[in-house]
Structure formats: structure tokens, C-alpha cells
Amino acid sequence: MVLASQRVLRPDGTFAPATIYIDAGRITAVEDRISPQAEQVDLAIVPGYVDTHCHGAAGADFTDEDPQKVRAAIEHHRANGTTTQFASTVTERMDDLVDQIHRLRPLVAAGELAGIHAEGPFLAENRRGAHNPELLRDPSDAAVTRLLQAGEGDLRAVTLAPEREYGIRAVQTLTAHGVHAAFGHSDADAGITREAVDAGADVVTHLFNAMAPIHHRDPGPVPWLLTDSRTLIELICDGVHVAADVLRMAIRTAGVERVALVTDAMSATGQPDGRYMLGTLPVQVDQGRARIRHADGSLGAIAGSTLTMGGAVEFLVGSVGVALADAATMAATTPARWYGLDEVGVIEEGRLADLCLVDDAGHVERVIRHGEEVDRSTVVRCG
């Protein structure tokens, strides 16, 4: 396969004319010219997207016991631009969580997933969001060790509230074992937040969501996390989780080299409105917005999203005013670099041939993964 475009995202984060040569699933060369032998496309070519926080799609959680349903969820996100995917779990009993990690590891070994992210159970009750409060617990040495042993190198990140008992020690333990400790679902103040980052916490689970807001006399965690160069900032860009003005502020403050777009998508992604489950909790989805459904029928906290990475890029470009090159960098290059995913995230010789071909609005028109065209026949464009 040989592709050429006037707008290929280069490693320096700018668009330039280029021809991309692909063989055996990898990029074999990138020339700074348009080759007459290439398939010339009137689309921008950007690296395939990297989603490091996602729970499912197509009616299934990644933790479903049916591997075919899990693969359907992976394929849905892949068709919408995510060529590299972490599977995220939610708060469960430790035995169940260990079982889920064991089921996911073969998909990592097969190259279908790039890793596993455990969101909980070490979360703050006051900031639990869509996590079962009965299953929350402290990150004791024994509990953290169980996760590390279950993951055996495939566990890439754990979201925790560092103010819980043993929280800072858990951050240190995870970091020492090469697992990213992610600050999130936390009621920590500025002081504990700084202590957690000093201890090694280097990822922020969906900044602004499930943490104390900014106040000018009681700043909470956000200012420190947003301005500390040691942290990667996750943002959910769907127009529901964070307002456009706040997204602009966060991106301009942290810079595209420290922001990773994530979906936090759940099983309802790509499905009709209705009732679903997120872990052990019932969820109601109306107009694509997922919220916890209480026993009396009332709706509670936001319960993940129905977002895709392609949708996130399109929202940033069309509704927030972010340049396409910057949006694609935050969707691919930045998360790949932060997590050490050296074979993806950049269009250059030797990398895997994972590409998204997008129009000026950021809408995904074609996806190539490992040099093969991804079937997008089931994708329906909304709007």
C-alpha cells in the first residue's frame, strides 16, 4: 500500500505533503513529496488513535465473559479510529476484578488490546461517580499486590484516590512496578495531590470529573494537576463531561504534549438509548448521555460516555475550535508517548501502519490498522 496526501501529520505535529509506503503491516518509508505511483487522497492522514480509558461498546463491556462480545466492542472503536486500545475495568470485588484481568490478558497477548486499566476499587466514596460504593476499598499492600500479580505486565494503569489509607504507598508501589498510578475519583486537597504526584502519580483520570472543583481560596487538585509537567491529563471531549470553554483552558494550559483524549465509553456506545449496566450498576442512556439509574427511577451521576475517539476529535475541531493537527496529536501521539507505546502514535518509518484518514472537520473516513483497511460498513454517521 502506498498513500499520499497534501496533509500528513508529521512527528513535529504539523501537516505537510508526504507519501507513506506500507509493507507487512509497517511503514517502510515516508517521503516528503507526492509520488505519482501512490493512491492520492484528498483527506488528512493522521496516526491511528490511542484510547487508554475505555470500558466497552456495541452492547458489551470489555469485562464481558463472552470473548466475541468483547471483540465486537473492540471492533466498534477500531472502526471509529481507535487502532490502539486499553480495556478499562470498573470497581468490583477483588476476586471478580482478578478474574476479569485474567480474561483480558489473552487479548493483550493477541495484540487486540494494548493493555489493561483498572479504574477502582481504590476510589473515594464522595467522588465515586458511577462506581458501586459497597465495593470501594483502601489500596492495602495485599490488594495492590493482587492486581500486579494478576496483570503480570499487562496492567498499564490503576486509578486511585491517594487520600485513602495506604494511598501514597500504593502510588509508590505501582510506580516501582512500571504501572502508571492515575489520580482520580478523589476528594484530595491540593496538598495531598502534590504529595501523590511527588510519589509518582503521573496520569490524571478525566480531569475535572470526579474531583473537587477549583475555588480561588480552596484550589483543590485541579490547578496543581493542570500545571505540573509530570502529569498526563485525560480529557473526555463529548460536550457532556466538560464545557468547551473549560476544554480550551485546559488544553492551552497543559499543552497538547500533556493532554490525552479518552472516551471513557461504556457498553451503550454505538447502541440505541435505553437501559444498560456498568459493572454492577444500572445505567440509563438518553440522547446518548449515560447516567446511573437509581431504584426509584431517578438519575444520578454521569456513567461514562457513548463517545468514540473519532467523535472526540470531531468535537474538538468543530465545537471547541482546536486545530486538527493538535486534536490528532492529543488523540494519538501524546498518549502513545506517555505510555511508552513505541510502535504507534507517529507516522514514521518502522512504526506500525496505523492511520486515520479524516476530512477537514476531523470526521473519520477511513481507518488502516497494521496496514489493513478496517471495515467501517456498520458505522453510521450522525447529524
Side-chain angles (χ1 to χ4, degrees):
M1 182 183 293
V2 183
L3 292 173
S5 171
Q6 294 291 337
R7 295 166 295 158
V8 174
L9 190 65
R10 305 314 307 272
D12 66 357
T14 63
F15 281 121
T19 299
I20 305 168
Y21 294 84
I22 299 170
D23 185 51
R26 292 190 178 273
I27 298 171
T28 57
V30 181
E31 293 183 349
D32 295 328
R33 67 183 186 92
I34 304 296
S35 170
Q37 283 76 43
E39 177 192 354
Q40 298 185 39
V41 297
D42 188 24
L43 296 165
I45 303 179
V46 302
Y49 301 147
V50 179
D51 189 0
T52 57
H53 183 164
C54 182
H55 299 280
D61 291 327
F62 285 137
T63 55
D64 197 290
E65 294 184 10
D66 185 344
Q68 292 304 113
K69 291 183 178 180
V70 176
R71 288 181 184 274
I74 294 171
E75 289 169 2
H76 180 85
H77 283 292
R78 192 171 291 169
N80 284 278
T82 300
T83 54
T84 300
Q85 179 85 68
F86 285 4
S88 298
T89 63
V90 297
T91 294
E92 300 279 3
R93 295 176 179 85
M94 287 300 298
D95 288 346
D96 293 336
L97 186 55
V98 167
D99 287 344
Q100 291 170 359
I101 292 173
H102 285 160
R103 289 200 302 271
L104 288 168
R105 292 193 63 224
L107 290 169
V108 178
E112 298 294 325
L113 296 170
I116 301 164
H117 159 230
E119 189 177 17
F122 315 129
L123 312 179
E125 184 169 347
N126 288 345
R127 302 290 177 183
R128 65 184 183 271
H131 292 260
N132 190 333
E134 298 177 0
L135 303 180
L136 299 176
R137 57 175 297 161
D138 293 326
S140 66
D141 291 347
V144 172
T145 297
R146 284 199 73 188
L147 287 187
L148 290 170
Q149 290 176 341
E152 292 188 34
D154 293 333
L155 182 67
R156 303 303 298 266
V158 176
T159 296
L160 58 86
E163 74 275 16
R164 293 200 70 121
E165 189 171 4
Y166 315 115
I168 297 299
R169 191 161 70 196
V171 169
Q172 295 169 333
T173 300
L174 292 168
T175 302
H177 284 81
V179 176
H180 293 268
F183 177 102
H185 287 275
S186 169
D187 215 17
D189 61 14
I192 295 176
T193 300
R194 180 170 183 170
E195 187 179 354
V197 176
D198 288 343
D202 69 341
V203 174
V204 182
T205 296
H206 42 54
L207 183 71
F208 302 112
N209 300 118
M211 62 186 66
I214 298 173
H215 186 278
H216 57 285
R217 287 189 297 274
D218 184 15
V222 172
W224 184 264
L225 297 171
L226 191 55
T227 57
D228 193 313
S229 62
R230 295 173 292 176
T231 61
L232 175 73
I233 304 300
E234 290 184 358
L235 289 176
I236 306 173
C237 301
D238 60 354
V240 176
H241 283 77
V242 185
D245 286 344
V246 179
L247 289 172
R248 277 189 288 269
M249 177 194 72
I251 293 167
R252 289 172 182 173
T253 302
V256 298
E257 70 280 356
R258 286 185 50 233
V259 174
L261 308 188
V262 297
T263 63
D264 197 12
M266 47 87 71
S267 61
T269 304
Q271 299 294 103
D273 287 350
R275 296 183 183 182
Y276 297 86
M277 295 293 293
L278 181 59
T280 59
L281 298 179
V283 173
Q284 178 73 40
V285 178
D286 290 317
Q287 297 182 347
R289 300 185 178 191
R291 296 178 66 185
I292 292 296
R293 187 177 188 276
H294 299 304
D296 62 2
S298 63
L299 301 182
I302 295 175
S305 82
T306 58
L307 183 65
T308 64
M309 289 294 279
V313 169
E314 196 167 358
F315 178 80
L316 278 182
V317 173
S319 299
V320 184
V322 174
L324 177 58
D326 288 344
T329 296
M330 293 184 288
T333 309
T334 298
R337 172 177 51 80
W338 205 272
Y339 281 94
L341 304 173
D342 296 333
E343 294 197 304
V344 298
V346 180
I347 299 174
E348 65 181 5
E349 181 180 345
R351 306 268 184 154
L352 287 172
D354 290 358
L355 308 168
C356 290
L357 281 63
V358 302
D359 63 18
D360 291 340
H363 178 73
V364 175
E365 297 288 351
R366 294 171 60 184
V367 179
I368 295 167
R369 183 177 186 271
H370 296 188
E372 299 290 336
E373 195 92 23
V374 173
D375 180 12
R376 305 189 67 250
S377 60
T378 61
V379 175
V380 177
R381 182 165 187 175
C382 300

